[in-house]
Each structure stands twice: as structure tokens, then as C-alpha cells.
Amino acid sequence: SQQGEEDPQALSIQEGENATMNCSYKTSINNLQWYRQNSGRGLVHLILIRSNEREKHSGRLRVTLDTSKKSSSLLITASRAADTASYFCATDGAGGFQKLVFGTGTRLLVSP
Amino acid sequence: NAGVTQTPKFQVLKTGQSMTLQCAQDMNHNSMYWYRQDPGMGLRLIYYSASEGTTDKGEVPNGYNVSRLNKREFSLRLESAAPSQTSVYFCASSDSADRMNTEAFFGQGTRLTVV
């Protein structure tokens, strides 16, 4: 079964609004990553947060990590139509070589 | 710098046919992965190669085989295609030497239809 589960499955907002999506995972991790996928394209890495970090920023992106709850959130501020995409969390488990395991994704639609 | 290159981009197979999906990366990464993506299922790991000369099963390996030909190339083979293998296949690579920075780079995908 997959490690991460995103919530909500789909999100529809207006340009300028903030978008928040959540990810829950099951096992201990080294880090958690967020990826974006535009329709019909490969995934693109957005941001990585390590297990000893609680919050990280990159441009309009803000990621939080709560290892006690095994959850993370991705906030996109001041959304733009170009942010329309699917967003996936991925975890790299702690201990030995752990493959990157993806969640099921959140489809974000930003309307002009 | 091409990153991760997958071929072909599209393929239609008849049930029972075989084919090999090719993947090559030019970033000198140790680790490579094959995922499949189905609607509503996200990405599921088929096989991975932690380093040159090693391969391991992922979440959904049945019906597939892989070869890590060298550090650059990692191929996925369908020996006898089935309609259930209709999917979009993604190859990815990462520099797993840094355990705290395992960002993955993805190819553009292969859209496979088995009829």
C-alpha cells in the first residue's frame, strides 16, 4: 500500500487565494518531499523537508511537518492559474535504503 | 543537460506482446526507479535499483522485469503484456548517496496501452 495519502483529493480556488493540501504517512521518515505534476507531464520536485525540520519556505510555498502526527501540509500562497496541477507528497523512509514512496495526490484547479 | 530521458513516449501493444521501456539519466545518480501511474492511484513503485548492479522489487512488480545496464540506464520489460498494464510509466533517478537529500528527477513518461 502507498505510504502517503493526500487530502483533499481535489481543490478548486480562485486566483489570489491560498491553497492548502495535507499529507499523512505511515512510517518513520528521513525526509518528506512535495512534487507537482502538470497534466500529461512528469513530476517536478518542489520542496524537501527533513525529519528534524518543522517548517520550510520556498517562494510562495510553505511546508510544515509534524512527525508526531505523521503529517505534512503544503501551502501555496497567492495562487495563480499556472499553479493548476496535481501535487504529490513523497516519503523517504528512515533506515537503510528506502525507496521514495508517493501518495495519491491532490488535484488543484486555480481559476482566473 | 537532458536529465532523465524515456523512450518511447507512446506505445500500443496487443495482449501477449513484449516490449522494453528504455530510461537513461545523465546526472551520475546512483539510484533509479520505475513507477506506474493510474488514475486515482498516484504513483506506484514497480522496481528500483539502489546502485549499479542491484535491482529490487517495489510495490507492484508482477509482470515486469528490469535491467540496470550500467549507471546511466535502467530498462523495464513487459514479457507478455496484459490490459491491466495499460498505464503511464515514469522513470526517475536520485542521488541516494546523500540520505537526507533524495530529490528525484523524472522523465516525461511513456503512455502504454495494451489492447
Side-chain angles (χ1 to χ4, degrees):
Chain A
S1 61
Q2 287 172 279
Q3 167 77 307
E5 296 291 336
E6 281 91 340
D7 171 58
Q9 290 186 333
L11 180 61
S12 184
I13 59 174
Q14 300 288 325
E15 268 192 327
E17 295 180 337
N18 296 340
T20 300
M21 48 206 90
N22 304 295
C23 168
S24 59
Y25 58 92
K26 298 174 184 175
T27 64
S28 298
I29 60 171
N30 276 325
N31 63 63
L32 185 142
Q33 306 176 36
W34 286 91
Y35 289 79
R36 182 185 71 215
Q37 184 182 35
N38 291 93
S39 181
R41 307 297 297 271
L43 278 74
V44 175
H45 182 265
L46 293 175
I47 192 167
L48 178 152
I49 185 165
R50 298 179 179 180
S51 59
N52 61 353
E53 297 175 316
R54 292 297 168 259
E55 186 171 315
K56 198 163 184 180
H57 296 255
S58 177
R60 294 185 295 112
L61 305 180
R62 171 179 171 256
V63 170
T64 61
L65 179 64
D66 186 334
T67 53
S68 66
K69 295 181 179 178
K70 292 186 170 58
S71 67
S72 174
S73 67
L74 171 68
L75 169 67
I76 304 174
T77 60
S79 296
R80 306 167 182 167
D83 293 328
T84 294
S86 291
Y87 292 81
F88 296 86
C89 69
T91 52
D92 177 9
F97 181 86
Q98 295 289 336
K99 52 272 189 189
L100 204 56
V101 179
F102 285 80
T104 52
T106 292
R107 294 189 310 278
L108 174 66
L109 173 64
V110 182
S111 301
Chain B
N1 217 359
V4 179
T5 304
Q6 287 182 239
T7 55
K9 288 186 169 54
F10 301 93
Q11 184 72 48
V12 178
L13 289 178
K14 293 182 179 179
T15 298
Q17 287 185 318
S18 62
M19 78 162 295
T20 299
L21 281 65
Q22 307 286 353
C23 175
Q25 52 93 8
D26 61 4
M27 294 171 283
N28 201 37
H29 284 165
N30 296 322
S31 301
M32 298 185 74
Y33 313 81
W34 276 105
Y35 292 89
R36 61 178 288 175
Q37 183 176 32
D38 302 297
M41 298 292 292
L43 275 78
R44 292 183 292 170
L45 184 63
I46 305 171
Y47 270 93
Y48 66 99
S49 172
S51 59
E52 185 179 356
T54 70
T55 60
D56 285 285
K57 295 177 180 179
E59 185 183 357
V60 288
N62 291 344
Y64 305 95
N65 284 301
V66 291
S67 295
R68 184 74 182 266
L69 304 170
N70 47 56
K71 193 170 187 179
R72 289 188 64 248
E73 298 172 288
F74 188 39
S75 62
L76 177 72
R77 183 160 177 84
L78 287 70
E79 292 291 352
S80 179
S84 61
Q85 294 177 304
T86 293
S87 188
V88 181
Y89 291 84
F90 288 100
C91 178
S93 70
S94 68
D95 180 8
S96 57
D98 181 357
R99 291 294 291 120
M100 297 304 288
N101 187 27
T102 50
E103 173 186 349
F105 294 80
F106 281 80
Q108 289 301 297
T110 296
R111 189 172 296 272
L112 175 67
T113 302
V114 183
V115 297

